[in-house]
Amino acid sequence: MSVVTPQAPASIRSLDRVRPTRGRSTLLAAGDLLALGASYLAMRALTEQIAPGTTRAPATLTVVLALAAVPVWIGLFAAYGLYDTDRRRIAVTSFDEATKVFHALLVGSIGFLMVDQLLWSVSDWRVSSAVQAAVFVLVALAAVIVVRGALRSWVFTRVFRRERAVVVGAGSDAALFEHTIAAHPEFGVDVVAVLEDAHSPLELEERVLELAADRVVLTSSSTSHEEMLEIARGVRTPFLQVSITPRTRSHTCVRQWPAAHPATVV
């Protein structure tokens, strides 16, 4: 197995040694809560101009509901897979998540409308309305996408250690993948080696440990499709992501591979 190892600049390699590798999901969750909180305040200010006096509830109840909403929103976003994407995919755009974010916001808003109806049935308190829910979903959708995009573009690339990727295959697909990664430093990925072939998962694991890689990218030019899937299933190195590139013009589209080891298709 021959290896070609491109070298990153020394300044980047030395800085990456002290950068953390995990925590993206935590920052995304914090950003989501910040966006949701700001959206709620904007919604209240806007709806008070449109329909004043729509909500009426004690301040204590409002605080309790706000605190209870934190795990609810985080749980909803997690249920829609909005905190797994950055760990599994090489290239993530926040606009790709718009549908999932919208559905999570819609489900959460309907839930709080149900709470409003329950409180109204036993008291005179109102904590939400259909107009407020609609305005909140629209404002929060834009806010969440913007905040997530800002975190990925400006924070993740400066805070977290760049991912070390090993590419298996030396054909046109491997070259295209290298070119794509080199053209997009914002992906936070460095190709540290190109292996012309990998005859077994064990052989690949040895090279991964030697190179301290975080991800293995199996290109379609490296071997047959069946052999690639067998290698993807067999790699068992902890915290290693395994990706498979299809024969496409772009390697930025990633799908999850449902195997015992978390592999993805780039």
Side-chain angles (χ1 to χ4, degrees):
M1 178 187 298
S2 59
V3 181
V4 181
T5 308
Q7 293 294 327
S11 58
I12 294 179
R13 297 199 304 270
S14 60
L15 180 59
D16 276 350
R17 293 192 187 100
V18 297
R19 285 180 172 178
T21 58
R22 302 177 194 171
R24 290 175 174 82
S25 297
T26 301
L27 283 183
L28 283 175
D32 291 339
L33 293 177
L34 178 63
L36 293 173
S39 300
Y40 178 79
L41 295 177
M43 176 273 292
R44 289 295 300 268
L46 183 60
T47 54
E48 281 298 320
Q49 301 297 323
I50 301 174
T54 303
T55 58
R56 50 186 181 274
T60 303
L61 177 62
T62 303
V63 172
V64 170
L65 289 176
L67 294 175
V70 171
V72 171
W73 285 118
I74 296 299
L76 275 173
F77 278 42
Y80 278 92
L82 290 169
Y83 298 125
D84 294 332
T85 310
D86 289 84
R87 181 171 60 87
R88 295 185 177 276
R89 295 182 59 171
I90 292 177
V92 182
T93 59
S94 298
F95 285 104
D96 292 341
E97 301 173 324
T99 301
K100 291 182 178 181
V101 172
F102 175 75
H103 287 165
L105 292 171
L106 188 61
V107 170
S109 297
I110 291 174
F112 283 107
L113 282 175
M114 295 173 64
V115 172
D116 171 74
Q117 292 299 308
L118 178 62
L119 290 173
W120 192 28
S121 66
V122 298
S123 66
D124 194 36
W125 297 337
R126 300 301 303 269
V127 296
S128 185
S129 68
V131 173
Q132 288 182 330
V135 173
F136 174 75
V137 169
L138 294 177
V139 174
L141 177 61
V144 169
I145 291 175
V146 169
V147 169
R148 282 177 162 248
L151 286 173
R152 288 174 173 134
S153 298
W154 300 330
V155 178
F156 287 3
T157 56
R158 292 169 173 80
V159 172
F160 295 106
R161 179 171 66 82
R162 296 178 64 82
E163 192 173 70
R164 296 170 60 85
V166 171
V167 179
V168 179
S172 58
D173 292 327
L176 178 58
F177 178 82
E178 284 190 87
H179 175 75
T180 302
I181 293 300
H184 294 277
E186 69 275 12
F187 290 170
V189 177
D190 291 325
V191 176
V192 297
V194 177
L195 313 182
E196 292 185 355
D197 50 32
H199 299 293
S200 69
L202 179 59
E203 184 180 7
L204 181 58
E205 285 183 25
E206 292 176 353
R207 304 303 295 169
V208 164
L209 293 175
E210 178 183 342
L211 296 165
D214 306 299
R215 182 182 296 272
V216 170
V217 179
L218 303 174
T219 66
S220 54
S221 58
S222 61
T223 182
S224 68
H225 181 72
E226 292 74 15
E227 290 175 337
M228 282 195 297
L229 298 185
E230 187 63 30
I231 291 174
R233 293 189 186 101
V235 176
R236 301 291 179 179
T237 304
F239 308 115
L240 178 70
Q241 299 296 314
V242 180
S243 301
I244 299 176
T245 64
R247 291 185 180 276
T248 60
R249 294 182 180 179
S250 173
H251 294 290
T252 58
C253 177
V254 183
R255 293 174 295 168
Q256 181 177 342
W257 168 251
H261 186 83
T264 54
V265 178
V266 182

